[in-house]
Structures are given as structure tokens and as C-alpha cells.
Amino acid sequence: MKIPLLAFNDKGIYCQQADVYLDPWRPVKNAIITHGHADHSRWGHQNYITHHTNIPIIRHRLGEINVTGKEWGETFVINNVKFSLHPAGHIIGSSQIRVEHKGEVWVFTGDYKTEDDGISTPYEVVKCDTFITECTFGLPAFNWTPQAEVISEINNWWAENKAEGKTSILFGYSLGKAQRLLKYLDTDIGKIYTHGAIENMTNVLRPMVDFPPTTLVTRETKKEDFAGNIVLAPPSAHGSIWIRKMTPFVTGAASGWMAFRGARRRRAIDKGFVLSDHCDWYSLLHSIKATGAEKIICTHGYTDIFSKYLRELGYDARTEKTQYEGESAEMEKDEKEAAIDQNETSTILENNEL
């Protein structure tokens, strides 16, 4: 029986011919990493290969690791297998991995989106025979509004809150979403404050992107400083002691899940903005068609529904179980990164009147 070019096992996506794993979730010798989110870049591998813009991100999160950086489209050969990285458009430094051996081409997307967000290298169509795709938002109900319209909605919301003398608290994941929001916040409205988890990650990325100035929230920040301004924070900060001194405030969250009203209610968010770093239903279908691939493997998200629909369209589509979790993994990472900051600022209540 022919050995598949890429196979799924208990450690990750494995290329036996090259003895290399793609985004493995257990420690391995050689790992090619698509991007810096916690479910795709894990600690403990002996050797990492990733796009060079992703190196400072994963070093910030994983510590000192043995990592090699590659350029977009740069071919590197391991045991006669050709690999190259191509823009995924998901977050800064995110890649698709192209694998070629004996005329057969597979592409692993990791996570991706096709809308150009203005800070990530835009998604690139890569022709292949087999396409491994996420389907985090693989339902027809997910149909994104253009980014420019959502950003305008966010800035208008901030301005309205300011007119009412309220602080705007906007929740977004500390890697990717927070910087996408930050890039387009209108500083003519007011000042941008940041939670420590977001400030630290943004400082890692500032050499790559021209972001507006931010002010870190510390125990010295006074309650009156927040009025009319906006605070960027990870979702894990919602309901914590950290935000109590920002009253009166209005909360908002930017996520693809905000397309469902129930998600906003469950999280007790005042305002939801539908802004995702993943493809919607239509972008997934368009991307798959553009690759020319006949075989499609769905790895995480609405895998069963989406793969069934692909089969109805005539694709050879199936699902594979992985440990990729999309936004839920980033929630866990943000909770860990936020814990220290929140512990340090718990003494704010002793120094500032609520």
C-alpha cells in the first residue's frame, strides 16, 4: 500500500519520507510550524522551522528554542521532499505549508483567511492535489461583513460611548485579533489603553507593523484616566477584578462567534462585532476551488457538515481528528498570560476608589 505523503497520528501531521511533523501537538524531533497560536505552536520540539516573521512570536511564547526561519516561497528539501511556506493571511507570520514529493503536492493551511487585513501578508492560492483545510466557521450562516465596515462600526461605538462619558472595553485575543483592532482604532477619538498580555505581544510585533501608540494599564493608572477612552483586553479579563475600576464602562467583543447572538449573551457582552481571523463559509469554498485540489481533508471546526457538503459537490473529502482548537486554544493561552497581570493589578483596589 502506498504511504500517503502526509499522515495523521497521535503526535500530529507526519511526513514519513522526510521524518518531519507539521504543527505537532506532542514533542517531536523536527516540526514545521504554520503560526504562533497556542494550538499550532507547542513547546518541546527539538527543531522548529517557520516563517521568519513568526520567530519572535513563538520565542516570546515558548522561550529560547532552536528555530530556523524561511522566506515566502523558499524551497527547502528534507530527504528529497520539497517544502515551502506560503502566506495564510490568518495573523502576522502565518503560513500554509506546501509539500511535494515525486510529483504529488499537498498543502496544509493551518488556519487561514482570504480577506486582506492590512497587517498580515495576504493569503496566497497554492495549487495542489490534496488540500488540508480548517473549517472553524464552515456553516452557511457565517458570511463576513468587509473589515472596513466593521472597523467603522467599532470606532462609531467608541465615539458614542465617549459622548456618554463611558469607557469602551474591547475584547480580542492577544495575538492577531488585538493587533488587527489596534491598527485601525481612531486615535482622534481618544487614548488607547492595553492589558499587559496585549501590550507585551504588540511590542513584539511593532518592528513589523506601524501601530498607533498605546498605554499599558498599571496599578498607577487612575480611574478617571479611562473615561471616554478605549481599553483593549483579552476575553479572559472579562468579569475580572482588573476592569472594575474602569466603571462606568461598556463592553464589546470582536470575534466570528459574535455572528451568533447566543454567544454574545453567554459571554455577557454589551456589543458584538463580527470580525474573524478565519475564513467564512464562502471563502472556504472559493479557496478550495482555487487550489484545483480533488482531495480535501477537514481538520477542525464544523468538519462533518462541511466535508459532507464538499462530497455533494464532487470532492473526495474526509475529516481527520487533530488537537487544533481555533479560538478556544487562544482563550486558554490568554488566560495564562493574563493571570500574572491580573494578580499584579489586584492591589489597584487598595490604591484607587471604585
Side-chain angles (χ1 to χ4, degrees):
M1 181 178 293
K2 180 182 178 182
I3 298 174
L5 186 53
L6 295 177
F8 293 75
N9 62 32
D10 62 349
K11 293 183 178 179
I13 303 174
Y14 184 52
C15 179
Q16 180 175 321
Q17 294 87 340
D19 191 23
V20 170
Y21 279 87
L22 314 186
D23 286 0
W25 46 82
R26 291 184 180 174
V28 299
K29 181 179 179 181
N30 299 307
I32 304 176
I33 304 298
T34 59
H35 66 286
H37 280 155
D39 54 333
H40 290 261
S41 60
R42 313 250 182 159
W43 182 85
H45 310 313
Q46 291 183 36
N47 304 294
Y48 294 75
I49 297 174
T50 193
H51 190 261
H52 67 85
T53 55
N54 190 40
I55 290 178
I57 296 171
I58 60 176
R59 278 193 167 146
H60 172 73
R61 291 190 144 189
L62 303 178
E64 191 57 37
I65 55 175
N66 184 25
V67 58
T68 301
K70 300 294 182 181
E71 297 285 352
W72 300 126
E74 176 186 350
T75 298
F76 53 101
V77 180
I78 305 174
N79 294 342
N80 295 319
V81 180
K82 295 181 180 179
F83 296 89
S84 56
L85 305 179
H86 303 265
H90 174 56
I91 62 171
I92 294 172
S94 62
S95 304
Q96 305 171 79
I97 303 172
R98 183 184 185 275
V99 187
E100 179 180 355
H101 185 59
K102 295 183 178 179
E104 185 178 1
V105 178
W106 291 47
V107 169
F108 170 51
T109 59
D111 290 326
Y112 68 111
K113 73 172 183 293
T114 57
E115 182 179 32
D116 182 1
D117 61 18
I119 63 172
S120 311
T121 304
Y123 172 83
E124 174 187 313
V125 174
V126 183
K127 298 290 185 177
C128 59
D129 305 302
T130 301
F131 190 62
I132 304 175
T133 181
E134 61 143 311
C135 41
T136 303
F137 294 103
L139 290 179
F142 295 110
N143 182 15
W144 308 143
T145 300
Q147 173 177 284
E149 294 181 29
V150 180
I151 295 298
S152 178
E153 184 183 0
I154 290 172
N155 282 319
N156 289 338
W157 169 77
W158 178 12
E160 291 169 4
N161 295 336
K162 180 179 181 178
E164 296 176 2
K166 297 177 181 178
T167 302
S168 301
I169 303 177
L170 184 57
F171 298 110
Y173 297 104
S174 63
L175 171 58
K177 186 65 60 64
Q179 291 75 35
R180 189 177 176 190
L181 294 167
L182 173 60
K183 175 66 178 177
Y184 300 105
L185 289 177
D186 185 357
T187 54
D188 288 338
I189 299 173
K191 197 172 182 178
I192 304 170
Y193 285 88
T194 53
H195 183 283
I198 289 175
E199 182 72 11
N200 292 339
M201 182 54 70
T202 300
N203 285 338
V204 172
L205 299 173
R206 280 192 183 277
M208 307 178 208
V209 180
D210 182 21
F211 292 115
T214 54
T215 300
L216 174 66
V217 177
T218 68
R219 66 185 66 189
E220 285 75 34
T221 311
K222 295 180 174 60
K223 178 180 178 179
E224 53 268 27
D225 294 338
F226 294 109
N229 294 314
I230 195 166
V231 181
L232 281 180
S236 54
H238 184 41
S240 72
I241 198 172
W242 184 81
I243 68 172
R244 286 174 59 185
K245 73 164 184 174
M246 300 174 190
T247 54
F249 60 76
V250 181
T251 58
S255 169
W257 298 114
M258 292 298 107
F260 287 161
R261 292 182 181 179
R264 189 173 74 242
R265 286 198 299 269
R266 284 196 302 274
R267 301 180 189 185
I269 299 295
D270 297 317
K271 179 71 173 178
F273 302 100
V274 182
L275 188 71
S276 178
D277 294 324
H278 300 260
C279 288
D280 63 9
W281 168 267
Y282 302 95
S283 295
L284 287 169
L285 293 175
H286 182 269
S287 300
I288 289 168
K289 182 178 181 180
T291 66
E294 295 182 356
K295 296 181 179 180
I296 312 297
I297 301 174
C298 303
T299 57
H300 57 295
Y302 290 97
T303 53
D304 292 337
I305 295 172
F306 191 67
S307 61
K308 179 182 178 181
Y309 184 76
L310 290 177
R311 288 192 294 272
E312 292 173 355
L313 293 179
Y315 290 99
D316 177 2
R318 71 176 198 270
T319 66
E320 287 284 356
K321 291 185 178 180
T322 67
Q323 292 190 16
Y324 309 135
E325 303 173 64
E327 294 189 351
S328 61
E330 274 307 287
M331 174 75 82
E332 292 180 8
K333 185 68 177 177
D334 278 344
E335 286 176 351
K336 294 176 183 177
E337 293 182 351
I340 296 176
D341 186 89
Q342 289 176 16
N343 287 337
E344 289 178 347
T345 56
S346 63
T347 56
I348 286 174
L349 299 180
E350 301 173 7
N351 304 321
N352 295 275
E353 183 181 350
L354 285 175

